[in-house]
Amino acid sequence: MATLRDLKKEIRYVCGDLAAECLIARSFIKGADKKKLNDLVIKIANLQSTALANTDFSFDKQPADFDTTHAYRKARHSYFKSAFKSLREKFYNHANDIVHEMNSALPAPAREAKKEMQA
């Protein structure tokens, strides 16, 4: 991600698309588990709010804590890189779990039709 702003936009887009898929499936696919899809929309909203809240983190050291400015910048860069990587991995793992739950809420014929469309 280029900026924190772009990361937050990406989280909102992914969650919005997942919620839209749930609502479309609930409304237009016969035999879909409506209660499960409604619960998934709530789960997606919680995922979005949690992920957005977790994007705000800061490096807890000062330049004076390091021997050189270069060492400070290097430590700060590695901290943010690992923090963003961890956030991204957790977010996508939760999103993948939601996708699997969405697929299990669909009836078997709809799942088969979806697989054929993707192939």
Side-chain angles (χ1 to χ4, degrees):
M1 288 291 129
T3 64
L4 185 60
R5 181 179 177 181
D6 291 338
L7 176 64
K8 288 181 177 183
K9 281 182 181 180
E10 189 81 17
I11 289 169
R12 287 185 188 106
Y13 290 149
V14 169
C15 291
D17 289 345
L18 287 173
E21 288 288 327
C22 285
L23 295 174
I24 290 170
R26 184 191 71 191
S27 299
F28 297 111
I29 296 178
K30 293 180 182 176
D33 187 354
K34 294 181 185 223
K35 181 177 178 356
K36 191 170 187 178
L37 290 169
N38 286 337
D39 292 341
L40 283 174
V41 171
I42 294 169
K43 203 173 196 181
I44 292 166
N46 288 335
L47 171 64
Q48 178 176 329
S49 63
T50 302
L52 290 175
N54 289 337
T55 58
D56 297 330
F57 42 81
S58 61
F59 188 55
D60 60 346
K61 306 242 186 230
Q62 300 295 323
D65 296 337
F66 295 89
D67 294 333
T68 63
T69 306
H70 176 71
Y72 168 74
R73 288 187 191 140
K74 187 175 180 180
R76 185 174 183 264
H77 176 74
S78 65
Y79 170 80
F80 281 112
K81 186 175 180 179
S82 66
F84 280 117
K85 182 179 178 183
S86 173
L87 174 69
R88 199 175 309 116
E89 286 175 0
K90 288 178 186 176
F91 177 76
Y92 284 116
N93 287 337
H94 286 289
N96 283 332
D97 292 341
I98 288 171
V99 169
H100 290 296
E101 289 182 45
M102 285 170 57
N103 288 334
S104 69
L106 298 177
R111 284 194 300 254
E112 293 302 321
K114 191 173 185 179
K115 284 181 185 177
E116 289 176 9
M117 288 176 56
Q118 292 175 348

Coordinates of all heavy atoms in Angstrom, one line a residue, residues 28-91:
F28 N -31.7 -13.0 -4.4 CA -31.9 -13.5 -5.7 C -31.7 -15.0 -5.9 O -32.1 -15.6 -6.9 CB -31.1 -12.7 -6.8 CG -31.5 -11.3 -6.9 CD1 -30.7 -10.3 -6.5 CD2 -32.8 -11.0 -7.4 CE1 -31.0 -9.0 -6.6 CE2 -33.2 -9.6 -7.5 CZ -32.3 -8.6 -7.1
I29 N -31.0 -15.6 -5.0 CA -30.8 -17.1 -5.1 C -31.8 -17.8 -4.2 O -31.8 -17.7 -3.0 CB -29.3 -17.4 -4.7 CG1 -28.4 -16.7 -5.7 CG2 -29.1 -18.9 -4.7 CD1 -26.9 -17.0 -5.3
K30 N -32.6 -18.6 -4.9 CA -33.6 -19.4 -4.2 C -32.9 -20.5 -3.4 O -32.0 -21.2 -3.9 CB -34.6 -20.0 -5.1 CG -35.5 -19.0 -5.8 CD -36.4 -19.6 -6.8 CE -37.2 -18.5 -7.4 NZ -38.2 -19.1 -8.4
G31 N -33.3 -20.7 -2.2 CA -32.7 -21.8 -1.3 C -31.5 -21.3 -0.5 O -31.0 -22.1 0.2
A32 N -31.1 -20.1 -0.7 CA -30.0 -19.6 0.1 C -30.4 -19.4 1.6 O -31.6 -19.1 1.9 CB -29.5 -18.3 -0.4
D33 N -29.5 -19.7 2.5 CA -29.8 -19.6 3.9 C -29.8 -18.1 4.3 O -28.7 -17.5 4.5 CB -28.7 -20.3 4.7 CG -29.0 -20.4 6.2 OD1 -30.0 -19.7 6.6 OD2 -28.3 -21.1 6.9
K34 N -30.9 -17.5 4.4 CA -31.1 -16.0 4.6 C -30.5 -15.6 5.9 O -29.9 -14.6 6.0 CB -32.5 -15.6 4.4 CG -33.0 -15.8 3.0 CD -34.4 -15.3 2.7 CE -34.8 -15.7 1.3 NZ -35.5 -14.7 0.6
K35 N -30.8 -16.4 6.9 CA -30.3 -16.0 8.3 C -28.8 -16.0 8.3 O -28.2 -15.1 8.9 CB -30.9 -17.0 9.3 CG -30.4 -16.6 10.7 CD -31.0 -17.5 11.8 CE -30.6 -17.3 13.2 NZ -29.6 -16.3 13.5
K36 N -28.2 -17.0 7.7 CA -26.7 -17.1 7.7 C -26.1 -15.9 6.9 O -25.1 -15.3 7.3 CB -26.3 -18.4 7.1 CG -24.8 -18.7 7.3 CD -24.5 -20.1 6.9 CE -23.1 -20.5 7.2 NZ -22.8 -21.9 6.9
L37 N -26.7 -15.6 5.8 CA -26.2 -14.4 5.0 C -26.4 -13.1 5.8 O -25.5 -12.2 5.7 CB -26.9 -14.4 3.7 CG -26.5 -15.5 2.7 CD1 -27.4 -15.6 1.5 CD2 -25.1 -15.4 2.3
N38 N -27.5 -13.0 6.5 CA -27.7 -11.8 7.3 C -26.6 -11.7 8.4 O -26.0 -10.6 8.7 CB -29.1 -11.7 8.0 CG -30.2 -11.4 7.0 OD1 -29.9 -10.8 6.0 ND2 -31.4 -11.8 7.3
D39 N -26.3 -12.8 9.0 CA -25.3 -12.9 10.1 C -23.9 -12.5 9.5 O -23.1 -11.9 10.1 CB -25.2 -14.2 10.7 CG -26.5 -14.5 11.6 OD1 -27.2 -13.5 11.9 OD2 -26.7 -15.7 11.9
L40 N -23.7 -13.0 8.2 CA -22.4 -12.7 7.6 C -22.2 -11.2 7.3 O -21.1 -10.7 7.4 CB -22.3 -13.5 6.3 CG -21.9 -15.0 6.5 CD1 -22.0 -15.7 5.1 CD2 -20.6 -15.1 7.1
V41 N -23.3 -10.5 6.9 CA -23.2 -9.1 6.7 C -22.8 -8.4 8.0 O -21.9 -7.5 8.0 CB -24.6 -8.5 6.2 CG1 -24.6 -7.0 6.2 CG2 -24.9 -9.1 4.8
I42 N -23.3 -8.8 9.1 CA -22.9 -8.2 10.4 C -21.5 -8.6 10.7 O -20.7 -7.7 11.2 CB -23.8 -8.8 11.5 CG1 -25.2 -8.2 11.3 CG2 -23.3 -8.4 12.9 CD1 -26.3 -8.9 12.2
K43 N -21.1 -9.8 10.4 CA -19.7 -10.2 10.6 C -18.7 -9.4 9.7 O -17.6 -9.0 10.1 CB -19.5 -11.7 10.2 CG -18.4 -12.4 10.8 CD -18.5 -13.9 10.5 CE -17.6 -14.7 11.4 NZ -17.7 -16.1 11.1
I44 N -19.2 -9.1 8.5 CA -18.3 -8.2 7.6 C -18.2 -6.8 8.1 O -17.1 -6.2 8.1 CB -19.0 -8.2 6.2 CG1 -18.8 -9.6 5.5 CG2 -18.3 -7.2 5.3 CD1 -19.7 -9.8 4.3
A45 N -19.3 -6.3 8.7 CA -19.2 -4.9 9.3 C -18.3 -4.9 10.5 O -17.5 -4.0 10.6 CB -20.6 -4.5 9.7
N46 N -18.3 -6.0 11.3 CA -17.4 -6.0 12.4 C -15.9 -6.2 11.9 O -15.0 -5.6 12.5 CB -17.7 -7.2 13.3 CG -19.0 -7.0 14.1 OD1 -19.3 -5.9 14.4 ND2 -19.6 -8.1 14.5
L47 N -15.7 -6.9 10.8 CA -14.4 -7.1 10.2 C -13.9 -5.7 9.8 O -12.7 -5.4 10.0 CB -14.4 -8.1 9.1 CG -13.1 -8.2 8.2 CD1 -12.0 -8.7 9.1 CD2 -13.4 -9.0 7.0
Q48 N -14.7 -5.0 9.1 CA -14.3 -3.7 8.6 C -14.0 -2.7 9.7 O -12.9 -2.1 9.7 CB -15.4 -3.1 7.7 CG -15.1 -1.7 7.2 CD -16.2 -1.1 6.3 OE1 -16.8 -1.8 5.6 NE2 -16.3 0.2 6.3
S49 N -14.8 -2.6 10.7 CA -14.6 -1.7 11.8 C -13.3 -2.1 12.6 O -12.5 -1.2 13.0 CB -15.8 -1.6 12.7 OG -16.0 -2.8 13.4
T50 N -13.1 -3.4 12.8 CA -11.9 -3.9 13.5 C -10.7 -3.6 12.7 O -9.7 -3.1 13.2 CB -12.0 -5.4 13.8 OG1 -13.2 -5.6 14.5 CG2 -10.8 -5.9 14.5
A51 N -10.7 -3.9 11.4 CA -9.5 -3.7 10.5 C -9.2 -2.2 10.4 O -8.0 -1.8 10.5 CB -9.8 -4.2 9.1
L52 N -10.2 -1.3 10.3 CA -9.9 0.1 10.3 C -9.4 0.6 11.6 O -8.5 1.5 11.6 CB -11.2 0.9 9.9 CG -11.7 0.7 8.4 CD1 -13.0 1.4 8.2 CD2 -10.6 1.2 7.4
A53 N -9.8 0.1 12.7 CA -9.3 0.5 14.0 C -7.9 0.1 14.2 O -7.1 0.7 14.8 CB -10.2 0.0 15.1
N54 N -7.5 -1.1 13.6 CA -6.2 -1.6 13.7 C -5.2 -1.0 12.8 O -4.0 -1.3 12.9 CB -6.2 -3.1 13.6 CG -6.9 -3.8 14.7 OD1 -7.0 -3.3 15.8 ND2 -7.4 -5.0 14.5
T55 N -5.6 -0.1 11.9 CA -4.6 0.5 11.0 C -3.9 1.6 11.7 O -2.8 2.1 11.2 CB -5.3 1.1 9.8 OG1 -6.3 2.0 10.2 CG2 -5.9 0.0 8.9
D56 N -4.3 2.1 12.8 CA -3.7 3.2 13.5 C -2.7 2.6 14.5 O -3.1 2.2 15.6 CB -4.7 4.1 14.2 CG -5.6 4.7 13.2 OD1 -5.2 5.0 12.1 OD2 -6.8 5.0 13.5
F57 N -1.4 2.6 14.2 CA -0.4 2.2 15.1 C 0.8 3.0 14.9 O 1.0 3.7 13.9 CB 0.0 0.7 15.0 CG 0.1 0.2 13.5 CD1 1.2 0.4 12.8 CD2 -1.0 -0.5 13.0 CE1 1.3 0.0 11.5 CE2 -0.9 -0.9 11.7 CZ 0.2 -0.7 10.9
S58 N 1.7 3.1 15.9 CA 2.8 4.0 15.8 C 4.0 3.4 16.4 O 4.0 2.5 17.2 CB 2.5 5.3 16.6 OG 2.3 5.0 18.0
F59 N 5.2 3.8 15.9 CA 6.5 3.4 16.3 C 6.8 4.0 17.7 O 6.8 5.2 17.8 CB 7.5 3.7 15.3 CG 8.9 3.1 15.5 CD1 9.0 1.8 15.6 CD2 10.0 3.9 15.5 CE1 10.3 1.2 15.8 CE2 11.2 3.4 15.7 CZ 11.4 2.0 15.8
D60 N 7.1 3.2 18.7 CA 7.2 3.7 20.0 C 8.6 4.2 20.4 O 8.8 4.5 21.6 CB 6.6 2.7 21.0 CG 7.4 1.4 21.0 OD1 8.2 1.2 20.0 OD2 7.2 0.6 21.9
K61 N 9.5 4.3 19.5 CA 10.9 4.7 19.8 C 11.1 6.1 19.2 O 10.4 6.5 18.3 CB 11.8 3.7 19.2 CG 11.6 2.3 19.6 CD 12.7 1.8 20.4 CE 12.5 0.3 20.6 NZ 12.7 -0.1 22.0
Q62 N 12.1 6.7 19.8 CA 12.5 8.1 19.3 C 13.9 8.0 18.6 O 14.7 7.1 18.9 CB 12.6 9.0 20.5 CG 11.3 9.2 21.3 CD 10.3 9.9 20.4 OE1 10.6 10.8 19.6 NE2 9.0 9.4 20.5
P63 N 14.2 9.0 17.8 CA 15.5 9.0 17.2 C 16.7 9.0 18.2 O 17.7 8.4 17.9 CB 15.6 10.2 16.3 CG 14.1 10.5 16.0 CD 13.4 10.0 17.3
A64 N 16.4 9.6 19.3 CA 17.5 9.6 20.4 C 17.8 8.2 20.9 O 18.9 8.0 21.5 CB 17.1 10.5 21.5
D65 N 16.9 7.3 20.8 CA 17.1 5.9 21.3 C 18.1 5.1 20.4 O 18.5 4.0 20.8 CB 15.8 5.1 21.3 CG 14.8 5.7 22.3 OD1 15.3 6.5 23.2 OD2 13.6 5.5 22.1
F66 N 18.5 5.6 19.3 CA 19.4 5.0 18.3 C 20.7 5.7 18.2 O 20.8 6.9 18.4 CB 18.7 4.8 17.0 CG 17.5 3.9 17.0 CD1 16.2 4.5 17.3 CD2 17.6 2.6 16.8 CE1 15.1 3.7 17.3 CE2 16.5 1.8 16.8 CZ 15.2 2.3 17.1
D67 N 21.7 5.0 17.8 CA 23.0 5.6 17.6 C 23.1 6.6 16.4 O 23.7 7.6 16.5 CB 24.1 4.5 17.4 CG 24.3 3.7 18.6 OD1 24.0 4.2 19.7 OD2 24.7 2.5 18.5
T68 N 22.4 6.2 15.3 CA 22.4 7.0 14.1 C 21.0 7.2 13.6 O 20.1 6.4 14.0 CB 23.2 6.4 13.0 OG1 22.6 5.2 12.6 CG2 24.7 6.2 13.4
T69 N 20.8 8.2 12.8 CA 19.5 8.4 12.2 C 19.1 7.3 11.2 O 18.0 6.9 11.1 CB 19.5 9.8 11.4 OG1 19.9 10.8 12.3 CG2 18.1 10.1 10.9
H70 N 20.2 6.8 10.6 CA 20.0 5.6 9.7 C 19.4 4.4 10.4 O 18.5 3.8 9.9 CB 21.3 5.3 9.0 CG 21.2 4.1 8.1 ND1 20.5 4.1 6.9 CD2 21.6 2.8 8.2 CE1 20.5 3.0 6.3 NE2 21.2 2.1 7.1
A71 N 19.9 4.1 11.6 CA 19.5 3.0 12.4 C 18.0 3.2 12.8 O 17.2 2.2 12.8 CB 20.3 2.8 13.6
Y72 N 17.7 4.4 13.2 CA 16.3 4.7 13.5 C 15.4 4.5 12.4 O 14.3 3.9 12.5 CB 16.2 6.2 14.0 CG 14.8 6.7 14.2 CD1 14.0 6.3 15.2 CD2 14.2 7.6 13.2 CE1 12.7 6.7 15.3 CE2 12.9 8.0 13.3 CZ 12.1 7.6 14.4 OH 10.9 8.0 14.5
R73 N 15.7 5.1 11.2 CA 14.9 4.9 10.0 C 14.7 3.4 9.6 O 13.6 3.0 9.2 CB 15.4 5.7 8.8 CG 15.3 7.2 9.0 CD 15.7 7.9 7.7 NE 15.8 9.3 8.0 CZ 16.8 10.1 7.5 NH1 17.7 9.6 6.7 NH2 16.8 11.4 7.7
K74 N 15.8 2.7 9.7 CA 15.7 1.3 9.4 C 14.8 0.5 10.3 O 14.0 -0.3 9.9 CB 17.1 0.7 9.4 CG 17.2 -0.7 8.9 CD 18.7 -1.2 8.9 CE 18.7 -2.6 8.4 NZ 20.1 -3.1 8.3
A75 N 14.9 0.8 11.6 CA 14.1 0.1 12.6 C 12.6 0.5 12.4 O 11.7 -0.3 12.5 CB 14.6 0.4 14.0
R76 N 12.4 1.8 12.2 CA 11.0 2.3 12.0 C 10.4 1.6 10.7 O 9.3 1.2 10.7 CB 11.1 3.8 11.8 CG 9.7 4.4 11.8 CD 9.9 6.0 11.8 NE 8.6 6.6 11.8 CZ 8.0 7.1 10.7 NH1 8.6 7.0 9.6 NH2 6.8 7.6 10.8
H77 N 11.2 1.6 9.7 CA 10.7 1.0 8.4 C 10.3 -0.5 8.6 O 9.3 -0.9 8.2 CB 11.7 1.1 7.3 CG 11.3 0.5 6.0 ND1 10.4 1.0 5.2 CD2 11.8 -0.7 5.4 CE1 10.2 0.2 4.1 NE2 11.1 -0.8 4.3
S78 N 11.2 -1.2 9.3 CA 10.9 -2.7 9.5 C 9.7 -2.9 10.4 O 8.9 -3.8 10.2 CB 12.2 -3.4 10.0 OG 12.5 -2.9 11.3
Y79 N 9.6 -2.0 11.4 CA 8.4 -2.1 12.3 C 7.1 -1.9 11.5 O 6.2 -2.7 11.6 CB 8.5 -1.0 13.4 CG 7.2 -0.9 14.2 CD1 7.0 -1.8 15.2 CD2 6.3 0.1 13.9 CE1 5.8 -1.8 15.9 CE2 5.1 0.2 14.7 CZ 4.9 -0.7 15.7 OH 3.7 -0.7 16.4
F80 N 7.0 -0.8 10.7 CA 5.8 -0.6 9.9 C 5.6 -1.6 8.9 O 4.4 -2.0 8.6 CB 5.8 0.8 9.3 CG 5.5 1.9 10.3 CD1 6.5 2.8 10.6 CD2 4.2 2.0 10.8 CE1 6.1 3.8 11.5 CE2 3.9 3.0 11.7 CZ 4.9 3.9 12.1
K81 N 6.6 -2.1 8.3 CA 6.5 -3.2 7.3 C 5.9 -4.4 7.9 O 4.9 -5.0 7.3 CB 7.8 -3.5 6.6 CG 7.8 -4.4 5.5 CD 9.1 -4.6 4.8 CE 9.0 -5.6 3.7 NZ 10.3 -5.7 3.0
S82 N 6.4 -4.8 9.0 CA 5.9 -6.0 9.7 C 4.5 -5.8 10.2 O 3.6 -6.7 10.2 CB 6.8 -6.5 10.8 OG 6.9 -5.6 11.8
A83 N 4.2 -4.6 10.7 CA 2.8 -4.3 11.2 C 1.8 -4.3 10.1 O 0.7 -4.9 10.3 CB 2.8 -3.0 11.9
F84 N 2.1 -3.7 9.0 CA 1.2 -3.8 7.8 C 1.0 -5.2 7.3 O -0.1 -5.6 6.9 CB 1.6 -2.8 6.7 CG 1.3 -1.4 7.0 CD1 2.3 -0.4 7.2 CD2 0.0 -1.0 7.1 CE1 2.0 0.9 7.4 CE2 -0.4 0.4 7.4 CZ 0.6 1.3 7.5
K85 N 2.1 -5.9 7.3 CA 2.0 -7.3 6.8 C 1.1 -8.1 7.7 O 0.3 -8.9 7.2 CB 3.4 -7.9 6.7 CG 3.4 -9.3 6.2 CD 4.8 -9.9 6.1 CE 4.8 -11.3 5.6 NZ 6.1 -11.9 5.6
S86 N 1.3 -8.0 9.0 CA 0.4 -8.7 9.9 C -1.0 -8.3 9.8 O -1.9 -9.2 9.8 CB 0.9 -8.4 11.3 OG 0.0 -9.0 12.3
L87 N -1.3 -7.0 9.7 CA -2.7 -6.5 9.5 C -3.3 -7.1 8.2 O -4.4 -7.6 8.2 CB -2.7 -5.0 9.5 CG -4.1 -4.4 9.1 CD1 -5.0 -4.6 10.3 CD2 -3.9 -2.9 8.9
R88 N -2.6 -7.1 7.1 CA -3.0 -7.5 5.9 C -3.3 -9.1 5.9 O -4.4 -9.5 5.4 CB -2.0 -7.3 4.8 CG -2.5 -7.3 3.4 CD -1.5 -6.9 2.3 NE -0.9 -5.6 2.6 CZ 0.5 -5.5 2.9 NH1 1.2 -6.5 2.9 NH2 1.0 -4.3 3.1
E89 N -2.4 -9.8 6.5 CA -2.7 -11.3 6.6 C -3.9 -11.6 7.5 O -4.7 -12.4 7.1 CB -1.4 -11.9 7.2 CG -0.3 -12.0 6.3 CD 1.0 -12.6 7.0 OE1 0.9 -12.9 8.2 OE2 2.0 -12.7 6.3
K90 N -4.0 -10.9 8.6 CA -5.2 -11.2 9.4 C -6.5 -10.8 8.7 O -7.5 -11.5 8.8 CB -5.1 -10.4 10.7 CG -4.1 -10.9 11.7 CD -4.0 -10.0 12.9 CE -2.8 -10.5 13.8 NZ -2.7 -9.6 15.0
F91 N -6.5 -9.7 8.0 CA -7.7 -9.2 7.3 C -8.1 -10.2 6.2 O -9.2 -10.6 6.1 CB -7.4 -7.8 6.7 CG -8.6 -7.3 5.9 CD1 -9.7 -6.9 6.5 CD2 -8.5 -7.3 4.5 CE1 -10.8 -6.4 5.8 CE2 -9.6 -6.9 3.8 CZ -10.7 -6.4 4.4

